[in-house]
Amino acid sequence: MRSSLSRRGLLGGIAATGAWTATGALPGAASAASKGRAGELPSAVDVVVVGAGISGLVAAREVAARGRSVVVLEARDRVGGRVLNHELADGSVIEAGGAFVGPTQDHVLGLCDELGIQTFKEHTAGNSVYFSRGIRQTYQGTVPPDPLVLPDAGRLQLQLDEMSKDVPVDAPWLAAKAAEWDSTSLHDWVAQNTVNPDTAKLLEVYLQPLLGADARDVSLLFMLWYVATAGNEQNPGTFERSSGTENGAQDSRIVGGSQLIPLRMAEQLGDIVALSAPVRRIEQLADRAVVTTDRGQVSATRVIVAAPPPLIAQIDWAPLLPPKRLQLLQRHFMGALMKCDAVYEKPFWREKGLNGFGISDARRCGWPSTTAPPTGAPACCWPSSAAPPGPTGGTGRPRSAGRACWRGSRGCSARRRSTRSTTPSRTGRTNAGPTAARWPIPAWGRRTGSGTRSVGRSAASTGRGPRPRPTGPATWTVRSVRASVPRPR
Amino acid sequence: MRSSLSRRGLLGGIAATGAWTATGALPGAASAASKGRAGELPSAVDVVVVGAGISGLVAAREVAARGRSVVVLEARDRVGGRVLNHELADGSVIEAGGAFVGPTQDHVLGLCDELGIQTFKEHTAGNSVYFSRGIRQTYQGTVPPDPLVLPDAGRLQLQLDEMSKDVPVDAPWLAAKAAEWDSTSLHDWVAQNTVNPDTAKLLEVYLQPLLGADARDVSLLFMLWYVATAGNEQNPGTFERSSGTENGAQDSRIVGGSQLIPLRMAEQLGDIVALSAPVRRIEQLADRAVVTTDRGQVSATRVIVAAPPPLIAQIDWAPLLPPKRLQLLQRHFMGALMKCDAVYEKPFWREKGLNGFGISDARRCGWPSTTAPPTGAPACCWPSSAAPPGPTGGTGRPRSAGRACWRGSRGCSARRRSTRSTTPSRTGRTNAGPTAARWPIPAWGRRTGSGTRSVGRSAASTGRGPRPRPTGPATWTVRSVRASVPRPR
């Protein structure tokens, strides 16, 4: 049952030395990682990791750093999962998936440090734009200055912050009012706690791209937990921190694009990562698990499944996962969200005193957001659009909705180079959906063990360095999935 | 592309003559149906049906009756899906899955007529038992006579009936208030429309075994639609009709057990039904679809998938179903429910003036219900228990909860022959769950086409004779699934 991999010693050595000293661009990283392990898979390792997103790669590094043999089995032909660099015509990159990092996201920031990856501040100088009832206003700060909604919105925000302090990040079901909060949709709670219906409308438009779901799709408990996760040991999570730009979750971006994080890890891991190896079956024998992929079988003493719930449900488990676990997997669904990129030669909106962020109550397009590489050119705007299936929520046509929204903001049709939608927004064979898993109302399966904890954290805050904190999401994934593999009886 | 099956002419002839004249017991039906088609699958047929539940078998009969060749591919080694006869020691049967038929369920009653299957009235003489706050009362009718909840409960019931009239059975999303009703959980609506919190508690206990879900798990629109489906062309659906015994959905049972319906159909279909043939992949080529099973490949010009949404999502579709369709499948989950049988030599409770139905607000066990074959012996009681994953809903231990509940009803421990749980309550590889699919809140994907219509109808009302009505569930399944197979482009 020992490793047939040759590089584990090397990798363990690398990890033990602490910082990985690559800096700046990493030529060839993408192509190396897109090739991955060539030839046959090892027949036996200590640990198989399913999924080469940030969580899976972090798990594999940690296993390797402890001197165990490990192989990462990835269904796609690339690493990164919902983090994907989108290359522009001039070779610079923009993120097609998760993009931002913020000051309390210590795990991913620690991982960046260790990988020699730099961040830069998102451009915030200038005004944001607010469209409501056909009227365009500019503003600064988080909440648009609509005099009709400002008091309501401010009060809601404070309430969310206050209530979220009672929600343990690693066990939200233990909050004193968990059952009550979990029985109420965020939509209903907002409606019951606002005076002006427009406040609810605005908040939902704001939340939709944030959550990848309608406010009626998630429980109040989910939202409070989401806010709570925006903190760290020193700072409580706040709504502002979970959604804001400066000092918030959209504070900074990655030089070289966020996919550089998994690309660097894959580069370090080398042939530990096997691409185009979709896992079809996981069979638990008396002394080991046998993992069947389209590239052959690997046996292991542990299997870590770092994949989204709908894809975990598609694995042919033998013996089956417990019925309650299967039912829990059925109840988890991915968010719905897409970005459209409109690429310009330069961020011309800055000349007009705009920072590039906008919010519209047209509902089909919550956040037209602009962004640019550190050099400022070429610049992109991405009208985001959340489009869950539902009678009032999704449009079913996020791309055209995004375009319409952008057109509505005027003055941007000049100098556009290209418009394209981004891959991670597609739900597909190896991609359960564009954003992390939601759960229906009610959310938490108290008796289903740690598996419930592997969901809901944004990709940007998933990864971390070699010693994850107990509450860290990467730890959750690792733990939860170990628990999901039935032990020999 | 023509049939390689030899029996379609015969079957077409049978169906064309109208009534199938088998009566009484059908010796050997179970064993014949559990064997199914032996040997190789046909290489090509006009239509492949995936799933040998009542819907799939009805679809196959209709296709065959029109002179097209058809094969039914069933993953399990038996027909019937969530309808399963549980054989008692003396050879009589009791239902492990769906059991009841009622006067407006014309489809399944027509199917019974045609198959020569008889029904008998559920025993209702005597009193029901109501346990609340540790106190035992007996009563008659649908709603327990708790003076504190009766006025509230009666009003709620009238409101549901009235509102449900506005919900089109075949397109609930077209109800004028669909969005509003779909945004509110049944739990919240009940809480907002009752004076006494005990009413909400009682109603939820009552609804849990009915829906296989907590009231907070389904939207008000779902409940109104559920009530509406209890009607037919002549009679509007009512809450009483959807849940009551006499003249309601639990009015009658099937002589020989409800699985006799699919068993008879399978007997007629003969080697059209292939068991132990789980469908792994459906590939759409230019002129045909190729269906891959563990028993080989079959090509067809049409594929009808009559399987629950979570299992449809596990099929390897090539090309993929549209992303929105995949997301919709992710959002459908099965109900949670189990029955425990306690078998006695005779229904001794009748001597005590009890009809065998009880309701308890102990929450872990909504409906202890007794039943017996037409001869009255042996008799069973089944404490039903709905146990969805959730912080307040499920116990995670429905079997022990069922036992505890039954013990709580006293006087029944004598003369018990056996206690066993029933198969369809298990979520497993070929069984997505015990009751029909629910959808989270919100429910309806307006733009996702007819696929949304294939869910939510109870198994007992699924099947029907040769000419399904436009709004009939069997028709839905057929239509929806045709639409789900991508057409050649």
Side-chain angles (χ1 to χ4, degrees):
Chain A
M1 209 55 50
R2 302 307 298 167
S3 169
S4 63
L5 291 177
S6 58
R7 294 182 57 143
R8 77 169 201 244
L10 173 62
L11 186 82
I14 289 167
T17 63
W20 172 258
T21 56
T23 52
L26 189 69
S31 64
S34 72
K35 211 160 41 188
R37 180 191 183 87
E40 283 200 2
L41 297 180
S43 61
V45 290
D46 292 326
V47 178
V48 158
V49 175
V50 179
I54 291 180
S55 294
L57 295 171
V58 166
R61 298 171 94 235
E62 294 181 11
V63 171
R66 281 158 182 71
R68 305 294 180 128
S69 61
V70 55
V71 64
V72 180
L73 303 175
E74 166 58 42
R76 306 198 216 212
D77 61 356
R78 65 166 180 84
V79 301
R82 289 186 292 277
V83 175
L84 175 64
N85 282 354
H86 172 163
E87 193 163 327
L88 300 176
D90 70 346
S92 62
V93 292
I94 197 82
E95 289 87 356
F100 295 104
V101 291
T104 48
Q105 296 178 354
D106 303 328
H107 291 202
V108 77
L109 290 171
L111 186 60
C112 287
D113 269 356
E114 197 191 322
L115 295 168
I117 290 172
Q118 293 174 329
T119 63
F120 65 100
K121 288 271 183 184
E122 178 69 349
H123 182 92
T124 54
N127 289 320
S128 300
V129 177
Y130 173 50
F131 290 97
S132 178
R133 285 155 293 190
I135 298 167
R136 179 180 180 279
Q137 296 174 272
T138 58
Y139 72 101
Q140 294 202 315
T142 303
V143 181
D146 189 323
L148 297 173
V149 305
L150 204 54
D152 253 7
R155 197 163 33 78
L156 275 187
Q157 195 172 324
L158 282 176
Q159 277 181 275
L160 288 172
D161 289 352
E162 202 53 42
M163 293 156 80
S164 74
K165 288 180 189 159
D166 295 331
V167 178
V169 169
D170 53 353
W173 52 88
L174 296 182
K177 293 189 178 175
E180 180 189 330
W181 289 342
D182 203 27
S183 303
T184 301
S185 74
L186 179 58
H187 170 91
D188 279 7
W189 180 81
V190 169
Q192 286 157 22
N193 286 278
T194 45
V195 180
N196 181 353
D198 281 353
T199 309
K201 196 176 169 190
L202 174 67
L203 194 72
E204 296 201 10
V205 165
Y206 192 85
L207 290 172
Q208 216 180 24
L210 193 72
L211 303 176
D214 270 355
R216 51 170 59 85
D217 246 353
V218 297
S219 76
L220 175 59
L221 183 62
F222 178 95
M223 184 68 208
L224 295 174
W225 171 80
Y226 187 92
V227 168
T229 62
N232 61 4
E233 280 78 356
Q234 290 75 44
N235 303 278
T238 61
F239 181 81
E240 177 71 25
R241 199 178 284 285
S242 75
S243 60
T245 303
E246 261 184 293
N247 288 318
Q250 276 84 48
D251 180 85
S252 298
R253 289 173 48 227
I254 305 289
V255 177
S258 58
Q259 201 192 1
L260 194 57
I261 300 168
L263 287 171
R264 283 264 167 92
M265 286 194 283
E267 175 84 347
Q268 287 186 353
L269 290 165
D271 64 7
I272 283 175
V273 180
L275 302 177
S276 304
V279 168
R280 305 293 183 176
R281 183 177 169 86
I282 298 179
E283 188 174 4
Q284 176 74 27
L285 304 177
D287 61 341
R288 65 191 197 282
V290 177
V291 181
T292 304
T293 85
D294 287 0
R295 291 182 54 190
Q297 289 188 327
V298 186
S299 77
T301 49
R302 293 274 183 177
V303 180
I304 298 174
V305 182
L311 297 183
I312 294 175
Q314 288 177 27
I315 294 172
D316 185 15
W317 294 88
L320 274 178
L321 296 178
K324 297 275 288 178
R325 176 68 181 235
L326 293 175
Q327 285 230 339
L328 191 70
L329 287 172
Q330 275 184 19
R331 282 160 173 74
H332 282 137
F333 59 95
M334 308 302 287
L337 188 67
M338 81 175 294
K339 291 173 173 178
C340 303
D341 296 341
V343 183
Y344 302 87
E345 285 169 22
K346 59 176 184 171
F348 60 87
W349 47 87
R350 294 183 188 170
E351 298 160 11
K352 300 181 179 184
L354 301 176
N355 60 23
F357 180 84
I359 187 166
S360 162
D361 67 2
R363 194 161 179 87
R364 298 199 167 206
C365 179
W367 283 2
S369 179
T370 54
T371 191
T375 59
C380 285
C381 83
W382 347 306
S384 301
S385 174
T392 56
T395 66
R397 276 169 295 197
R399 191 183 316 191
S400 57
R403 284 184 190 144
C405 180
W406 184 248
R407 275 200 302 275
S409 67
R410 290 186 188 82
C412 304
S413 60
R415 291 170 294 178
R416 190 169 66 192
R417 286 182 173 178
S418 68
T419 304
R420 49 181 293 189
S421 66
T422 61
T423 318
S425 65
R426 300 295 282 185
T427 297
R429 198 182 310 279
T430 56
N431 183 24
T435 52
R438 313 292 148 196
W439 48 86
I441 304 164
W444 297 102
R446 186 188 286 168
R447 287 188 177 76
T448 52
S450 54
T452 49
R453 285 181 281 173
S454 65
V455 300
R457 196 84 172 207
S458 75
S461 45
T462 305
R464 197 184 169 260
R467 296 199 59 218
R469 296 186 312 217
T471 57
T475 317
W476 292 0
T477 308
V478 173
R479 282 192 189 157
S480 69
V481 174
R482 276 182 185 157
S484 79
V485 179
R487 303 293 178 81
R489 280 168 225 174
Chain B
M1 209 53 51
R2 302 308 297 167
S3 169
S4 62
L5 292 178
S6 57
R7 293 182 57 141
R8 76 170 201 243
L10 172 63
L11 185 83
I14 289 166
T17 63
W20 171 259
T21 55
T23 53
L26 189 69
S31 65
S34 73
K35 212 162 39 188
R37 180 190 183 88
E40 283 200 2
L41 297 181
S43 61
V45 290
D46 292 325
V47 178
V48 158
V49 175
V50 179
I54 291 181
S55 293
L57 295 172
V58 166
R61 297 171 93 235
E62 294 181 11
V63 171
R66 282 159 181 71
R68 303 296 180 126
S69 61
V70 53
V71 64
V72 180
L73 303 175
E74 166 58 42
R76 306 199 217 212
D77 60 358
R78 65 165 181 85
V79 300
R82 289 186 294 277
V83 174
L84 175 64
N85 282 354
H86 172 163
E87 193 163 327
L88 301 177
D90 69 346
S92 61
V93 292
I94 197 81
E95 288 87 355
F100 294 106
V101 291
T104 49
Q105 296 178 355
D106 303 327
H107 291 202
V108 76
L109 290 171
L111 186 60
C112 287
D113 268 356
E114 197 191 321
L115 295 168
I117 290 172
Q118 294 174 329
T119 62
F120 66 98
K121 287 273 181 180
E122 178 70 347
H123 182 90
T124 54
N127 289 320
S128 300
V129 177
Y130 173 51
F131 291 95
S132 178
R133 285 155 291 186
I135 298 167
R136 179 180 179 277
Q137 295 175 272
T138 59
Y139 72 102
Q140 293 201 316
T142 303
V143 182
D146 190 324
L148 296 172
V149 304
L150 204 54
D152 252 9
R155 197 162 35 77
L156 275 186
Q157 194 171 325
L158 282 176
Q159 277 180 275
L160 288 173
D161 289 353
E162 201 55 41
M163 293 157 81
S164 74
K165 289 181 189 159
D166 294 332
V167 178
V169 169
D170 53 352
W173 52 87
L174 297 182
K177 294 189 177 174
E180 181 189 330
W181 290 342
D182 203 28
S183 303
T184 301
S185 73
L186 179 57
H187 170 91
D188 279 6
W189 180 81
V190 168
Q192 286 157 22
N193 286 277
T194 45
V195 180
N196 180 353
D198 281 352
T199 309
K201 196 177 170 191
L202 174 66
L203 193 72
E204 296 200 12
V205 166
Y206 193 86
L207 291 172
Q208 215 180 25
L210 193 72
L211 303 176
D214 270 353
R216 53 170 58 84
D217 246 354
V218 296
S219 75
L220 174 60
L221 183 62
F222 178 94
M223 184 67 208
L224 297 173
W225 172 80
Y226 187 91
V227 168
T229 63
N232 62 5
E233 280 76 359
Q234 290 75 43
N235 304 278
T238 62
F239 181 80
E240 176 72 26
R241 200 180 283 284
S242 76
S243 61
T245 304
E246 263 184 290
N247 288 320
Q250 276 84 46
D251 180 83
S252 299
R253 289 173 49 227
I254 306 289
V255 177
S258 59
Q259 201 192 2
L260 193 57
I261 300 168
L263 287 171
R264 283 263 167 92
M265 285 194 283
E267 174 85 346
Q268 287 186 352
L269 290 166
D271 63 5
I272 283 175
V273 180
L275 303 176
S276 302
V279 168
R280 305 294 183 177
R281 184 178 168 86
I282 299 179
E283 188 175 3
Q284 177 75 26
L285 306 177
D287 61 341
R288 66 191 196 283
V290 177
V291 181
T292 304
T293 85
D294 288 1
R295 291 181 54 191
Q297 288 188 329
V298 186
S299 77
T301 48
R302 293 274 184 176
V303 179
I304 297 174
V305 182
L311 297 184
I312 295 175
Q314 288 177 28
I315 294 173
D316 186 13
W317 295 88
L320 274 179
L321 297 179
K324 296 275 287 179
R325 176 69 181 234
L326 293 174
Q327 285 230 339
L328 191 70
L329 286 173
Q330 276 183 19
R331 282 160 173 74
H332 282 137
F333 58 96
M334 308 302 287
L337 188 67
M338 79 174 295
K339 292 174 174 178
C340 304
D341 296 342
V343 182
Y344 302 88
E345 285 171 22
K346 60 178 184 171
F348 60 86
W349 46 87
R350 293 184 190 171
E351 297 159 12
K352 300 181 178 183
L354 300 176
N355 60 25
F357 180 84
I359 187 166
S360 162
D361 66 3
R363 193 161 180 87
R364 299 199 166 204
C365 179
W367 284 2
S369 179
T370 54
T371 190
T375 60
C380 284
C381 84
W382 345 307
S384 301
S385 174
T392 57
T395 65
R397 277 169 294 196
R399 194 182 314 190
S400 58
R403 284 184 190 144
C405 180
W406 183 247
R407 276 200 302 275
S409 67
R410 292 187 186 81
C412 304
S413 60
R415 289 169 297 179
R416 190 169 67 193
R417 286 182 174 177
S418 68
T419 304
R420 49 181 294 189
S421 66
T422 61
T423 317
S425 65
R426 301 294 283 185
T427 297
R429 198 182 309 281
T430 56
N431 184 24
T435 52
R438 314 291 148 198
W439 47 88
I441 303 164
W444 297 103
R446 189 188 285 169
R447 287 188 177 76
T448 53
S450 54
T452 48
R453 285 182 280 172
S454 66
V455 301
R457 196 83 172 206
S458 74
S461 45
T462 305
R464 198 182 168 260
R467 297 199 58 218
R469 297 187 312 217
T471 58
T475 317
W476 293 0
T477 307
V478 174
R479 282 192 189 155
S480 69
V481 174
R482 278 183 185 157
S484 79
V485 179
R487 302 293 178 81
R489 281 168 223 173

